[in-house]
């Protein structure tokens, strides 16, 4: 079910707004902000100890999409189909294939672990520190308090029967980009720090069984799509290419097996200037965009009688 939700969310970006009129692209350069769980793992460095849910048959689907709907304040998610343990000192960098997380009033993303209440009002917490980045290289960390765990993820239980898009009800730990002066990011880094608690029996959250942060889900509350619109013009009802944006690379995959015609990709600035033209000789072609100015571009792929266009936002 989680996978289904994930696919639908991504599909909405890519598939929802086909048009046969290339001239209509200009009218479609803005789309509304939406919310979704992460769909991409950029890096995973497991820590030591607990490794639940790290196997390929569970990971990374177990951290994509939305949090475990069976989780409650006093009932943690524990199944490997739903969570991945980072281990002591483990680190993971996640994000969104075709979207950028932007700052809007209030919380911008929520991280769901499997913290839970026990022994009355005590919280079983296995905290992580959180950092974010625009480029995947320079990260800005959210400040946190190692005693109260304020500013950490992994300290607030999940209310799986509430909307994960409403941080006032969902539980989990929410983060506001404005708190660290960021207007947009593409990378969220989660680093286990639960040894801080385990190694100090005087710590208010100390428990001898603490074994590291268990990631359930990361939900972006304010996502701006990077693929703004598509156009397809043809005698062919299927799109002839599939375009994805990841970390300054445009990946263009030919979706047809018909190799009878050659294809080219052209990238245009909004004023119509041709920025680059590249053959699509192989099944998948990568165009590096780090040297290009940030902004919107038209990516047009032509082959035979087919034309496929996509507006792309380089952030
Ligand atoms: Ca946990
Ligand atoms: Ca915000």
């Amino acid at each position: 079910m989680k996978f289904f939700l994930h696919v639908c969310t991504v599909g909405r970006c890519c598939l929802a707004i086909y048009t046969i009129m290339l001239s209509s692209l200009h009218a479609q350069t803005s789309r509304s902000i939406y919310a979704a769980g992460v769909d991409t793992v950029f890096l995973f460095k497991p820590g030591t100890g607990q490794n639940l849910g790290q196997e390929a048959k569970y990971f990374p689907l177990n951290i994509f999409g939305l949090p475990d709907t069976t989780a409650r304040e006093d009932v943690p998610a524990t199944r490997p189909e739903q969570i991945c343990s980072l281990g002591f000192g483990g680190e993971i960098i996640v994000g969104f294939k075709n979207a950028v997380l932007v700052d809007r009033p209030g919380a911008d993303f929520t991280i769901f672990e499997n913290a839970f209440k026990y022994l009355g009002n005590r919280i079983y917490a296995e905290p992580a520190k959180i950092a974010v980045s625009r480029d995947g290289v320079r990260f800005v960390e959210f400040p946190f308090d190692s005693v109260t765990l304020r500013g950490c993820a992994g300290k607030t239980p999940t209310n799986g029967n509430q909307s994960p898009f409403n941080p006032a009800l969902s539980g989990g730990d929410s983060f506001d980009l404005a708190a660290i002066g960021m207007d947009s990011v593409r990378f969220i880094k989660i680093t286990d720090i639960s040894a801080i608690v385990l190694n100090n029996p005087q710590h208010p959250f100390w428990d001898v069984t603490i074994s590291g942060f268990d990631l359930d889900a990361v939900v972006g509350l304010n996502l701006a799509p990077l693929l703004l619109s598509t156009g397809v013009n043809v005698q062919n009802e299927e799109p002839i290419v599939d375009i994805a944006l990841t970390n300054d690379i445009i990946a263009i995959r030919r979706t047809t097996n018909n190799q009878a015609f050659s294809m080219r990709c052209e990238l245009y600035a909004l004023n119509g200037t041709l920025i680059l033209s590249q053959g699509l000789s192989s099944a998948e072609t990568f165009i590096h965009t780090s040297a290009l100015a940030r902004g919107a571009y038209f990516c047009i792929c032509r082959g035979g009688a087919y034309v496929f266009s996509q507006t792309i936002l380089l952030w």
Side-chain angles (χ1 to χ4, degrees):
M1 189 57 179
K2 287 182 117 181
F3 182 65
F4 175 74
L5 289 168
H6 156 62
V7 168
C8 284
T9 302
V10 173
R12 186 174 59 174
C13 300
C14 302
L15 302 174
I17 45 177
Y18 286 132
T19 167
I20 60 171
M21 297 294 291
L22 294 180
S23 59
S24 68
L25 280 170
H26 288 275
Q28 298 186 20
T29 52
S30 68
R31 292 197 57 213
S32 58
I33 299 295
Y34 69 101
V38 293
D39 57 26
T40 304
V41 172
F42 296 103
L43 175 83
F44 181 34
K45 290 195 294 188
T48 56
Q50 182 68 263
N51 61 359
L52 182 75
Q54 293 180 3
E55 308 97 305
K57 66 176 173 176
Y58 302 121
F59 179 85
L61 287 181
N62 54 1
I63 66 160
F64 287 170
L66 304 177
D68 188 345
T69 56
T70 68
R72 298 290 185 275
E73 196 172 63
D74 55 354
V75 181
T78 56
R79 297 166 54 228
E81 291 86 350
Q82 296 289 350
I83 58 170
C84 175
S85 299
L86 301 191
F88 289 120
E91 177 180 298
I92 191 167
I93 300 176
V94 296
F96 304 88
K97 185 178 176 187
N98 288 320
V100 62
L101 185 63
V102 297
D103 178 41
R104 290 287 183 274
D108 302 303
F109 65 100
T110 302
I111 299 181
F112 296 91
E113 205 255 355
N114 65 353
F116 61 98
K117 274 190 179 174
Y118 70 127
L119 300 177
N121 265 342
R122 194 175 168 83
I123 298 285
Y124 188 91
E126 294 172 315
K129 61 182 181 180
I130 307 304
V132 291
S133 173
R134 291 172 66 101
D135 58 10
V137 177
R138 292 160 295 179
F139 280 84
V140 178
E141 193 170 283
F142 283 89
F144 65 93
D145 185 316
S146 62
V147 175
T148 66
L149 304 186
R150 182 181 170 83
C152 293
K155 72 176 193 304
T156 306
T158 299
N159 298 319
N161 55 347
Q162 301 288 341
S163 168
F165 305 124
N166 182 349
L169 301 174
S170 66
D173 297 294
S174 298
F175 296 83
D176 184 348
L177 294 178
I180 52 172
M182 302 283 279
D183 59 6
S184 64
V185 300
R186 294 207 61 191
F187 303 87
I188 299 170
K189 181 162 72 175
I190 302 169
T191 306
D192 172 78
I193 56 167
S194 55
I196 289 176
V197 181
L198 178 66
N199 292 341
N200 176 11
Q202 307 307 315
H203 196 286
F205 290 88
W206 183 81
D207 189 294
V208 69
T209 65
I210 282 173
S211 62
F213 187 93
D214 308 290
L215 181 59
D216 184 350
V218 181
V219 173
L221 303 172
N222 298 313
L223 294 170
L226 290 172
L227 303 183
L228 297 179
S229 62
T230 60
V232 55
N233 154 18
V234 280
Q235 299 126 23
N236 179 2
E237 294 183 354
E238 296 295 320
I240 53 172
V241 293
D242 177 59
I243 300 177
L245 266 177
T246 54
N247 197 17
D248 272 337
I249 293 173
I250 304 172
I252 302 173
R253 186 173 57 84
R254 296 183 65 154
T255 54
T256 173
N257 290 324
N258 183 353
Q259 301 294 315
F261 53 85
S262 61
M263 290 187 66
R264 290 197 75 75
C265 168
E266 297 162 346
L267 203 61
Y268 292 88
L270 283 183
N271 64 7
T273 304
L274 179 63
I275 303 299
L276 63 82
S277 176
Q278 185 166 333
L280 302 178
S281 53
S282 55
E284 192 163 34
T285 301
F286 300 99
I287 298 176
H288 296 266
T289 60
S290 56
L292 300 179
R294 305 296 88 179
Y297 292 83
F298 295 137
C299 179
I300 298 180
C301 299
R302 308 173 194 273
Y306 307 128
V307 179
F308 181 94
S309 77
Q310 172 88 61
T311 306
I312 286 174
L313 190 58
L314 301 181
W315 204 278

